[in-house]
């Protein structure tokens, strides 16, 4: 795998051969067993200021460098700074990695690192029976126990007897390691996440040299913090290696990755790169007009760092200004992009109608979160589908597509602009909080293989009519200032050809019809629907968005158990694929899992007069594989 970007540097503990499958008694560190695993699920949890997101993401980088497949789920509180030690201030990061393709971050942690009582209490129910719990005893003081609602210390009262509990005073050990650092007590306390990271890297057989290098790169401008965090990391690793509390360490078997250069990527980062790729492909500059909102803001951050690719970013004063500036950029000939989430999407709706009337290419990204109103800003939900399809005044159709995974955000970003430019229409791209901040391996594509985004501006005034259309019903894209092609734009209805304001009833009917036909016509570019599993039979599971991994894994598990079940995952949601109606007819039962109250189910019933079985969840959490798998077994 010499050409792979991953390194295959899975270190083997030479003290004991991998594969013993057993654990040695504590106290026999010189012959400590190394237990080989196919996959493992680890969750880091603590206060929102404990650095758990950083710890989890750094751990994911370490397993990525080893070539493992992985999936992550960041889960952090909506409040910017919840009170320390409270149940609603807990921040978590879960990762599943393995020797084969990993679809989800895992149903239940094999290991939980709990930095305080609140973190333990809010996450204990998810941990596998018999799983590992590493508790930072330094935070289990009476005050924190009371904040978490514990009447007694769970580390002492026997309530954790069903788990492998490791009580480690991470706070004190970090302080001891950094006693000569010159940092304040508060600053030292902030390094304990790196102690926990070092401990877990050792326990799961990962080297720390690359991580130490990353620390010095990350804190290059603050060398005292670089030294402190690196030393905390070393201390955690050394503690796990030398302390005789762990009877075994764990090694996930090496993965056989498809050759290529890979990187770990989040959904928001992938989307940003996809938009830049679309811009480079078209030869047209990219303009992002956006107002920061969780969990979409990182797209703005990422694109701001890519301005050397002819990218202009504009942080507007509100959502309305964000999209209106983008419409102006599109009118001027740029690739116009605006990003937002739930309530921000609501504020943009009038301007989306304006973009539809102007018939300009525009991409609107909605990184969905729990709603309504400001709802659950940092939690996952898929409840903006109907808003994306219908949520505007008047007859105002817009193509809607959705990404299925972090890496898929890259492809969907290109697809959104390809449709927008070809058909001169706004396009809505749906992602969600479940994939925006989550990470997975991404095989960097060959640029020559990427779909083309072809832009042509009309410059010939001969016979020009502003709203005359091509074979795709798209009007010409004319940049302002083009000689002899001056024309009127605005939100009032246009004459079918001249673009002049028209209140003629028949003209309005004609314009409504042609705009709808144009959007419907984008279906000609939708490829045949891919079916995973049997082409016909008992059960078809249809999903969209970030439920892909869960459904795919549940289907594979059911198929291995002898059940006949197929899976279709929709990228194009408006219009729906042309062959979907016929495909639905091939199966006796159709199951539709969604993280909403049944919005795709409604669409399928309306469009195809086909009853479906909904499976819905709105808890701010993704589906567990077991939830979808159990429903498949009931129906197949």
């Amino acid at each position: 795998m010499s050409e792979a970007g991953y390194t295959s540097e899975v270190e083997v503990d030479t003290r004991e051969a991998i594969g013993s499958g057993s654990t040695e008694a504590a106290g026999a560190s010189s012959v400590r067993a190394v237990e080989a695993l196919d996959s493992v699920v680890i969750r880091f949890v603590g206060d929102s200021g404990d650095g758990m997101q950083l710890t989890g993401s750094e751990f994911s980088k370490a397993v990525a460098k080893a070539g493992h497949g992985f999936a992550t789920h960041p889960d952090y509180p909506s409040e910017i700074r919840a009170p320390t030690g409270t149940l609603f201030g807990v921040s978590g990061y879960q990762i599943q990695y393995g020797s084969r393709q990993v679809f989800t971050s895992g149903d239940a942690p094999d290991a939980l690192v709990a930095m305080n009582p609140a973190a333990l209490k809010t996450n204990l129910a998810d941990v596998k029976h018999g799983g590992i719990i590493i508790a930072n005893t330094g935070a289990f003081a009476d005050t924190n126990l009371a904040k978490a609602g514990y009447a007694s210390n769970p580390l002492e009262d026997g309530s954790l007897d069903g788990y492998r509990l490791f009580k480690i005073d991470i706070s004190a050990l970090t302080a001891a390691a950094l006693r000569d650092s010159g940092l304040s007590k508060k600053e030292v306390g902030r390094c304990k996440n790196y102690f926990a990271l070092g401990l877990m890297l050792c326990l799961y057989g990962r080297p720390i040299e690359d991580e130490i290098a990353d620390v010095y790169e990350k804190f290059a401008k603050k060398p005292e913090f670089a030294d402190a965090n690196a030393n905390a990391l070393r201390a955690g690793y050394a503690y796990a290696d030398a302390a005789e509390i762990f009877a075994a360490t764990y090694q996930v078997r090496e993965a056989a990755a498809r050759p290529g250069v890979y990187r770990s990527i989040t959904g928001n980062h992938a989307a940003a790169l996809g938009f830049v790729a679309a811009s480079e492909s078209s030869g047209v500059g990219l303009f992002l007009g956006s107002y920061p909102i969780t969990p979409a803001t990182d797209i703005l951050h990422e694109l701001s760092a890519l301005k050397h690719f002819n990218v202009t970013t504009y942080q507007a004063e509100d959502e309305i200004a964000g999209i209106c500036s983008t419409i102006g950029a599109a009118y001027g000939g740029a690739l116009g992009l605006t990003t937002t989430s739930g309530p921000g999407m609501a504020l943009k709706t009038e301007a989306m109608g304006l973009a539809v009337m102007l018939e300009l290419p525009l991409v609107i990204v909605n990184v969905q979160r729990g709603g309504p109103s400001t709802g659950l800003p940092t939690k996952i939900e898929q409840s903006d589908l109907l808003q994306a399809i219908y949520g505007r005044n008047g007859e105002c159709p817009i193509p809607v597509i959705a990404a299925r995974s972090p890496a898929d955000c890259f492809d969907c970003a290109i697809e959104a602009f390809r449709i927008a430019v070809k058909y001169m229409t706004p396009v809505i791209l749906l992602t969600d909080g479940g994939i925006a901040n989550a990470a997975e391996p991404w095989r960097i594509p060959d640029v020559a293989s990427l779909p083309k985004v072809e832009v042509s501006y009309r410059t010939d005034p001969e016979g020009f009519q502003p709203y005359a259309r091509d074979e795709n019903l798209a009007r010409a894209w004319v940049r302002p200032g083009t000689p002899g092609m001056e024309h009127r734009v605005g939100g009032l209805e246009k004459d079918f050809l001249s673009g002049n304001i028209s209140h003629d009833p028949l003209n309005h009917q004609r314009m409504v019809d042609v705009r709808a036909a144009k959007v419907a016509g984008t279906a000609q570019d939708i490829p045949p629907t891919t079916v995973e599993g049997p082409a016909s039979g008992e059960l078809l599971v249809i999903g969209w968005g970030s439920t892909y991994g869960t459904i795919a894994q549940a289907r594979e598990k059911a198929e291995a158990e002898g059940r006949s079940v197929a899976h279709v995952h929709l990228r194009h949601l408006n219009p729906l694929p042309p062959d979907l109606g016929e495909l639905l007819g091939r199966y006796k039962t159709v199951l539709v899992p969604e993280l909403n109250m049944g919005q795709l189910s409604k669409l399928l019933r309306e469009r195809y007069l086909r009853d479906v079985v909904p499976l819905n969840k709105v808890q701010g959490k993704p589906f567990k594989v077991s939830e979808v798998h159990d429903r498949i077994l009931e129906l197949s």
Side-chain angles (χ1 to χ4, degrees):
M1 209 169 66
S2 59
E3 63 179 303
Y6 286 168
T7 59
S8 300
E9 52 185 359
V10 179
E11 285 194 348
V12 176
D13 189 330
T14 55
R15 294 170 299 185
E16 187 74 16
I18 293 177
S20 67
S22 63
T23 59
E24 299 292 334
S29 62
S30 61
V31 290
R32 179 185 290 167
V34 180
E35 189 173 334
L37 306 170
D38 288 326
S39 65
V40 68
V41 179
I42 299 172
R43 185 183 295 180
F44 299 90
V45 285
D47 260 327
S48 58
D50 282 340
M52 293 296 96
Q53 301 302 318
L54 175 64
T55 307
S57 61
E58 291 301 305
F59 191 90
S60 69
K61 289 180 183 176
V63 301
K65 289 174 181 174
H68 292 296
F70 68 95
T72 70
H73 177 64
D75 183 19
Y76 49 94
S78 297
E79 294 193 33
I80 295 175
R81 198 76 173 103
T84 302
T86 57
L87 298 177
F88 49 91
V90 173
S91 177
Y93 192 102
Q94 181 166 309
I95 176 173
Q96 176 174 214
Y97 70 103
S99 56
R100 291 174 290 188
Q101 183 178 7
V102 175
F103 289 107
T104 74
S105 61
D107 280 9
D110 298 289
L112 178 74
V113 178
M115 300 298 282
N116 65 19
L120 176 65
K121 188 164 191 176
T122 54
N123 289 273
L124 180 61
D126 294 336
V127 181
K128 288 180 180 176
H129 183 74
I132 292 173
I133 295 175
I134 295 174
N136 174 24
T137 58
F140 279 69
D142 291 344
T143 303
N144 284 339
L145 289 168
K147 287 181 180 177
Y150 278 116
S152 61
N153 189 339
L155 307 184
E156 308 293 343
D157 63 10
S159 59
L160 301 178
D161 286 349
Y163 305 91
R164 285 177 284 172
L165 174 62
F166 298 96
K167 297 184 285 187
I168 303 172
D169 193 341
I170 294 174
S171 300
L173 289 167
T174 303
L178 304 183
R179 58 180 175 272
D180 298 326
S181 65
L183 299 182
S184 68
K185 182 178 180 180
K186 184 177 181 180
E187 290 168 335
V188 167
R190 288 176 176 170
C191 298
K192 61 180 180 292
N193 62 323
Y194 270 103
F195 184 99
L197 177 61
L199 190 153
M200 294 301 285
L201 289 175
C202 179
L203 191 58
Y204 285 89
R206 298 304 318 147
I208 62 169
E209 288 77 12
D210 287 347
E211 184 58 35
I212 290 174
D214 286 347
V215 168
Y216 279 101
E217 182 178 352
K218 187 185 300 294
F219 296 96
K221 296 182 179 178
K222 296 182 177 179
E224 68 276 21
F225 291 146
D227 288 338
N229 284 311
N231 287 335
L233 183 73
R234 293 189 185 99
Y237 192 95
Y239 178 84
D241 191 41
E244 298 180 346
I245 63 172
F246 297 111
T249 59
Y250 305 91
Q251 189 94 47
V252 173
R253 295 183 177 89
E254 189 173 349
R258 182 184 170 197
V261 178
Y262 288 77
R263 65 174 297 174
S264 172
I265 199 163
T266 66
N268 279 343
H269 193 182
L273 293 180
F275 292 129
V276 171
S279 173
E280 291 288 299
S281 171
S282 66
V284 175
L286 176 70
F287 176 90
L288 168 64
S290 182
Y291 181 71
I293 183 171
T294 300
T297 307
D298 277 347
I299 300 177
L300 173 60
H301 294 161
E302 299 288 354
L303 286 174
S304 296
L306 297 170
K307 58 184 179 183
H308 51 289
F309 285 107
N310 199 15
V311 174
T312 301
T313 54
Y314 167 58
Q315 180 176 322
E317 68 269 29
D318 58 31
E319 297 284 2
I320 298 171
I323 187 171
C324 286
S325 65
T326 301
I327 292 172
Y331 179 58
L335 293 187
L337 168 69
T338 188
T339 54
T340 190
S341 185
M345 192 73 170
L347 289 169
K348 292 182 189 294
T349 54
E350 182 182 353
M352 280 189 269
L354 173 61
V356 168
M357 289 294 271
L358 298 177
E359 300 196 47
L360 287 170
L362 191 74
V363 172
I364 305 122
V365 178
N366 180 0
V367 185
Q368 299 166 97
R369 66 191 205 184
S373 188
T374 45
L376 305 175
T378 59
K379 309 299 181 183
I380 182 175
E381 210 165 273
Q382 294 181 300
S383 52
D384 294 345
L385 176 58
L386 294 182
Q387 181 197 34
I389 294 177
Y390 297 121
R392 293 165 292 280
N393 68 298
E395 296 290 343
C396 192
I398 292 179
V400 179
I401 64 176
R404 65 172 59 180
S405 71
D408 192 46
C409 290
F410 176 85
D411 297 324
C412 285
I414 298 174
E415 173 71 353
F417 265 122
R418 191 192 63 77
I419 296 172
V421 169
K422 181 175 180 179
Y423 294 92
M424 292 292 284
T425 176
V427 174
I428 294 173
L429 168 57
L430 296 175
T431 72
D432 64 47
I435 57 178
N437 298 312
E440 68 175 355
W442 177 54
R443 186 171 181 269
I444 299 175
D446 177 5
V447 172
S449 69
L450 297 178
K452 300 298 181 187
V453 178
E454 298 179 354
V455 170
S456 64
Y457 306 113
R458 176 159 178 168
T459 57
D460 181 6
E462 181 67 28
F464 172 66
Q465 293 277 16
Y467 277 76
R469 299 169 188 280
D470 63 13
E471 67 278 10
N472 298 315
L473 301 179
R475 77 182 188 95
W477 196 355
V478 179
R479 287 176 291 185
T482 304
M485 303 180 73
E486 299 81 4
H487 62 281
R488 184 189 301 270
V489 296
L492 293 173
E493 186 59 281
K494 302 293 180 296
D495 177 74
F496 188 77
L497 288 176
S498 70
N500 293 330
I501 294 172
S502 172
H503 292 166
D504 178 74
L506 294 180
N507 176 74
H508 178 56
Q509 178 76 55
R510 191 180 186 188
M511 290 296 276
V512 168
D513 290 343
V514 77
R515 289 191 289 262
K518 180 172 69 171
V519 172
T522 64
Q524 66 184 328
D525 286 353
I526 301 176
T529 300
T530 299
V531 180
E532 297 178 9
S536 61
E538 289 293 315
L539 179 63
L540 171 67
V541 185
I542 293 185
W544 66 280
S546 63
T547 56
Y548 172 75
T550 305
I551 297 174
Q553 188 171 342
R555 189 204 72 81
E556 285 192 359
K557 185 178 180 183
E559 187 177 61
E561 295 166 348
R563 305 301 179 104
S564 174
V565 54
H567 175 201
V568 163
H569 216 75
L570 300 176
R571 167 175 289 180
H572 298 85
L573 293 149
N574 189 43
L576 290 164
D579 59 354
L580 187 59
E582 182 274 330
L583 196 154
L584 290 174
R586 298 185 210 158
Y587 298 88
K588 181 179 178 181
T589 305
V590 176
L591 173 64
V592 186
E594 293 180 88
L595 296 172
N596 57 43
M597 295 305 289
Q599 298 190 17
L600 179 61
S601 297
K602 286 185 174 71
L603 289 176
L604 295 178
R605 288 172 177 140
E606 175 204 359
R607 303 287 171 87
Y608 304 109
L609 302 180
R610 170 67 194 266
D611 196 17
V612 301
V613 179
L615 176 61
N616 305 119
K617 180 176 179 178
V618 281
Q619 300 172 9
K621 296 181 177 181
F623 279 118
K624 292 182 178 179
V625 173
S626 59
E627 292 171 324
V628 177
H629 175 256
D630 290 348
R631 196 69 179 112
I632 288 175
L633 296 187
E634 291 171 0
L635 296 172
S636 61

